[in-house]
Amino acid sequence: MSKRVRNLLLIVVCFFLVGSLSYLQVRAAEKDSEPYPVPDENLTYYLQEGGFLTITDNGYERLYYDHVRSMVRIETYDAEFNKTGGFSIPMELSYWGGFYSDNDFYFLLEGEANEDEEDDAEVIRVIKYDKNWNRLGAASITGNSSLFGGDVRYSFDNESVKMAEKDGILYIATGHEGYVDPRYNQGHQGLLMMAVDIQNMTGSVVKSDLAHSFTQHIRIVNDDIYLLELSEGSRCTKLSKIETTSGRYNTTSISVLDYGGERTSAWAIPTYAYVNDLEISSENILGLGSSIDQSQYDHYTDDTSYNIYLTVTPLSDFSKDATTVKWLTEYNNDGKSFSGPSMVKINDNRFMIMWGESGETDETINAEDVLDRYKVHYVFVDGAGNKIGNDFIANASWANCNPVLSGNKIVYYASNELTVNFYTIDANTGSFSKKVYPSLHGNITWNISDHVLRIAGNGPAHSTMSAFSGFRNDIEKIIIEDGVTKISDYMFIGLNKLHEVDLAESVEYIGDRAFGGNALDKVYVRGKNTAFGEDVFYAGYPTIICWPGSVAEQYAKDNKIRYEYFIVPTEITLDRDKLAMLKGESQTLTASVIPVNSFDQSITWESSNPGIATVDSN
């Protein structure tokens, strides 16, 4: 341990053992800066659903639904993707629907079950916020029994919700389940479209059916709404043109991709197809989806390949005959598959289509970026669906959100239990870049270096038992730093090489079997009141180093686990008593902590007069 001392004639160096003072400072900062509510002790993970990315005046906002805590989580980032804050909004109803942003407002969509089948029950709520997330009002929507299929038992059935705005009206397309049909003892599923007056925040169901509509995408051009559906009842990918000028929502529908097979009058028949996105060019309606070769429908097996298709329907000739289907991929039982096709509109004649690919994953997990073992493909197409240039492939994950166009950059994020990655694609050249946030949730970060896993931040640390399984043969030591308060159940189970754990004083609770299945040698428990769940060290019997009279000591006694006490530092010595130098010179001081086997060897250095002498780490 040494410090370089500069600009001194005669100095006095003040140094302190890192102890209770720095701990109190960390804990105070944790309380002041904690953006999320502290979850229950037995909560094992945060599950992120419904991811969205929006562009703000200062950068970006990442929004997702945490269904375990029934919270909408919002994180803010600057233009370079540096995290600047975060907060949570509690859900008002039971079901998460979706999010929409226009130039002036944010909207959250939530729903409620109506199992008593009351016509006047609120089934959907659209909540309006300003751009600072101040709540401005809400539209309460009931079913519409005057429409076929307008009765709502469960909202957002099949979890597809898309929105678009025109002339102060927010249109929402989703699925729902209607009232119970006594013939089948269950309700039928179908389309549900709503219209909300943004100024007055009043809304109603304006279009519905029970035709087994399992995915819906909506876009608006001039006075027409275009709706793309995976329609099992219609046995096709269905594109509808809905006129709004008369106020009656007159609809013309066509098939843009027929589904094959021997059909009967009964529904609930597999489609072997998906619908993924919808965009409008200057001349065409572009529908993105994936499907098997429908001519081989009757020969379908679990090994049958899917491929990505693009349907192109002229705005000037809205018909099935005028529609063409362009296949973008050629997967053919080669062990590869894809996920998450999406489309980004760059301008009226340029679009980017992207998807993730599996089957060629690198088995080696990189601690610097756990998602770089995956592949993302993307291509550019013109307004007629023709490819522009070559395909691109990057080591990255496909999007957990809607990719957004920011200037000439396409931006999206992908996340799993261990990271949030922001990706940027140049809309002109296709060049790819990324920024990686190793993060468990909220303020908790991690890193692995020299076989040591460090968990840092403020608040509880949560993950599932499989989160770090990819590093099971690499992690030899875990350090839980000051500020982390809890460790979830099973969090570090089965790390084959783990032999030492160091828990900061701030750790209040260790979850059930959190370190189970490990051949641990030593566990340092610095907190005197750190509580233990059940079988924390299941199938392993380490020595616990703790304080006399601590909860950890009692836990060791109760479970017949070896324990030792911390050796407290008693003295610090320097390699010299005095040091004189001319202005501008620098020399090195070396300090030693006595006893040499003390539990804490860290030293904080300060100058008694920084105007005369300064100290810098070597």
Side-chain angles (χ1 to χ4, degrees):
M1 301 172 189
S2 62
K3 285 281 179 175
R4 185 173 299 277
V5 186
R6 290 196 176 96
N7 300 328
L8 69 108
L9 295 175
L10 181 64
I11 68 165
V12 179
V13 179
C14 300
F15 40 86
F16 304 93
L17 287 175
V18 176
S20 60
L21 180 59
S22 61
Y23 166 72
L24 290 174
Q25 291 170 342
V26 170
R27 295 289 289 151
E30 174 195 345
K31 183 176 181 180
D32 291 341
S33 63
E34 174 71 4
Y36 303 140
V38 176
D40 297 334
E41 290 182 352
N42 62 354
L43 179 62
T44 57
Y45 62 94
Y46 281 83
L47 182 60
Q48 302 176 13
E49 296 180 354
F52 297 88
L53 188 67
T54 58
I55 302 169
T56 68
D57 291 339
N58 301 316
Y60 302 91
E61 284 187 347
R62 182 174 88 97
L63 180 148
Y64 63 90
Y65 171 51
D66 167 6
H67 87 169
V68 177
R69 294 289 295 175
S70 293
M71 295 281 185
V72 179
R73 308 283 190 183
I74 295 126
E75 294 175 349
T76 59
Y77 297 82
D78 65 19
E80 285 71 43
F81 307 108
N82 299 303
K83 189 174 180 182
T84 57
F87 54 95
S88 305
I89 298 176
M91 291 278 290
E92 297 182 13
L93 300 184
S94 300
Y95 297 152
W96 166 251
F99 166 78
Y100 181 78
S101 172
D102 67 10
N103 292 330
D104 301 309
F105 305 108
Y106 291 142
F107 300 91
L108 296 182
L109 190 64
E110 302 179 11
E112 199 67 76
N114 181 24
E115 294 179 343
D116 292 333
E117 300 186 352
E118 298 176 351
D119 290 348
D120 59 353
E122 180 184 36
V123 292
I124 290 172
R125 184 178 298 174
V126 183
I127 310 166
K128 181 170 75 170
Y129 299 83
D130 66 18
K131 290 295 183 171
N132 293 315
W133 286 103
N134 297 303
R135 190 182 190 278
L136 301 178
S140 179
I141 299 175
T142 64
N144 186 346
S145 56
S146 67
L147 295 174
F148 171 69
D151 299 328
V152 180
R153 181 175 173 86
Y154 297 110
S155 54
F156 316 136
D157 201 49
N158 211 48
E159 300 180 356
S160 174
V161 179
K162 299 296 179 182
M163 295 177 246
E165 180 186 348
K166 176 184 179 295
D167 296 336
I169 303 297
L170 179 64
Y171 292 95
I172 304 165
T174 184
H176 77 299
E177 182 180 316
Y179 289 173
V180 170
D181 184 336
R183 295 172 298 174
Y184 303 102
N185 199 33
Q186 69 177 44
H188 296 286
Q189 195 272 355
L191 168 71
L192 192 71
M193 193 174 89
M194 295 156 282
V196 175
D197 185 304
I198 293 174
Q199 181 176 356
N200 301 322
M201 288 309 291
T202 56
S204 62
V205 174
V206 297
K207 186 174 179 58
S208 58
D209 63 39
L210 296 175
H212 290 205
S213 173
F214 286 107
T215 312
Q216 306 81 24
H217 292 270
I218 187 171
R219 289 287 185 268
I220 300 177
V221 175
N222 300 323
D223 294 323
D224 297 323
I225 299 172
Y226 290 95
L227 185 68
L228 187 69
E229 302 175 72
L230 176 70
S231 181
E232 180 202 296
S234 300
R235 318 293 200 265
C236 67
T237 297
K238 183 168 71 174
L239 179 63
S240 298
K241 178 180 179 180
I242 305 170
E243 298 177 2
T244 62
T245 52
S246 65
R248 298 176 61 86
Y249 301 102
N250 296 320
T251 303
T252 303
S253 298
I254 61 172
S255 169
V256 292
L257 182 74
D258 290 332
Y259 304 152
E262 190 71 28
R263 300 292 182 166
T264 70
S265 60
W267 290 349
I269 298 173
T271 62
Y272 305 133
Y274 298 92
V275 171
N276 299 101
D277 217 336
L278 174 68
E279 288 291 357
I280 312 291
S281 74
S282 58
E283 297 181 350
N284 297 290
I285 307 145
L286 305 179
L288 182 68
S290 57
S291 172
I292 68 166
D293 177 353
Q294 291 288 338
S295 68
Q296 301 301 308
Y297 183 98
D298 290 326
H299 305 290
Y300 175 86
T301 69
D302 290 342
D303 295 326
T304 300
S305 293
Y306 284 73
N307 278 286
I308 299 172
Y309 66 86
L310 190 66
T311 63
V312 183
T313 304
L315 287 165
S316 59
D317 187 359
F318 188 80
S319 66
K320 179 178 180 179
D321 290 341
T323 298
T324 57
V325 179
K326 299 177 183 289
W327 292 92
L328 302 179
T329 60
E330 298 179 347
Y331 294 98
N332 186 26
N333 291 326
D334 57 1
K336 296 180 182 179
S337 60
F338 59 87
S339 56
S342 61
M343 181 163 41
V344 182
K345 182 175 182 176
I346 300 167
N347 57 47
D348 279 345
N349 200 43
R350 187 176 178 86
F351 300 80
M352 189 191 79
I353 297 172
M354 64 181 298
W355 63 92
E357 185 174 84
S358 59
E360 53 182 38
T361 303
D362 186 350
E363 294 302 319
T364 301
I365 299 179
N366 179 5
E368 300 296 323
D369 178 9
V370 298
L371 296 181
D372 78 347
R373 58 202 294 256
Y374 302 106
K375 304 281 186 192
V376 63
H377 290 235
Y378 53 101
V379 299
F380 295 95
V381 300
D382 63 19
N386 301 308
K387 280 189 179 183
I388 304 171
N390 298 321
D391 293 10
F392 294 85
I393 302 176
N395 286 349
S397 176
W398 62 284
N400 287 140
C401 70
N402 56 310
V404 297
L405 182 66
S406 178
N408 68 335
K409 305 291 186 182
I410 297 166
V411 180
Y412 75 95
Y413 81 83
S415 63
N416 66 7
E417 283 192 298
L418 294 178
T419 192
V420 177
N421 289 7
F422 287 92
Y423 300 112
T424 301
I425 300 172
D426 189 293
N428 297 318
T429 67
S431 64
F432 189 93
S433 61
K434 64 184 176 182
K435 185 158 188 176
V436 179
Y437 282 93
S439 175
L440 298 181
H441 78 86
N443 282 336
I444 304 301
T445 62
W446 63 273
N447 72 80
I448 298 175
S449 179
D450 296 328
H451 305 289
V452 177
L453 168 63
R454 291 180 178 269
I455 307 292
N458 296 319
H462 294 284
S463 71
T464 63
M465 62 184 294
S466 61
F468 290 100
S469 62
F471 304 104
R472 64 170 58 90
N473 293 316
D474 186 54
I475 298 172
E476 298 177 4
K477 181 178 181 179
I478 295 176
I479 298 176
I480 309 296
E481 297 188 356
D482 229 339
V484 178
T485 57
K486 299 179 184 179
I487 299 169
S488 64
D489 298 345
Y490 307 99
M491 186 167 176
F492 301 113
I493 198 168
L495 302 181
N496 299 335
K497 300 295 182 65
L498 181 64
H499 63 81
E500 184 176 323
V501 173
D502 193 337
L503 303 172
E505 188 176 359
S506 60
V507 176
E508 301 168 358
Y509 178 79
I510 309 170
D512 297 349
R513 299 195 179 189
F515 297 100
N518 300 313
L520 280 168
D521 297 323
K522 292 183 178 181
V523 176
Y524 295 86
V525 184
R526 298 175 184 269
K528 293 183 179 180
N529 297 310
T530 301
F532 292 75
E534 295 183 3
D535 293 330
V536 169
F537 308 110
Y538 172 77
Y541 302 96
T543 298
I544 296 177
I545 293 85
C546 57
W547 296 104
S550 64
V551 173
E553 179 187 8
Q554 189 60 50
Y555 177 83
K557 290 178 179 179
D558 293 343
N559 291 275
K560 297 180 173 56
I561 298 174
R562 296 185 300 274
Y563 66 92
E564 298 174 358
Y565 295 142
F566 283 116
I567 299 174
V568 180
T570 59
E571 183 181 358
I572 295 177
T573 63
L574 292 175
D575 62 341
R576 63 189 81 184
D577 296 329
K578 294 181 180 180
L579 185 63
M581 291 186 300
L582 296 176
K583 183 178 180 179
E585 290 183 339
S586 63
Q587 292 194 35
T588 300
L589 291 173
T590 301
S592 300
V593 177
I594 306 299
V596 295
N597 61 341
S598 300
F599 82 98
D600 196 343
Q601 296 284 317
S602 57
I603 296 176
T604 297
W605 298 72
E606 292 182 5
S607 171
S608 61
N609 191 340
I612 297 176
T614 60
V615 290
D616 297 318
S617 297
N618 222 354

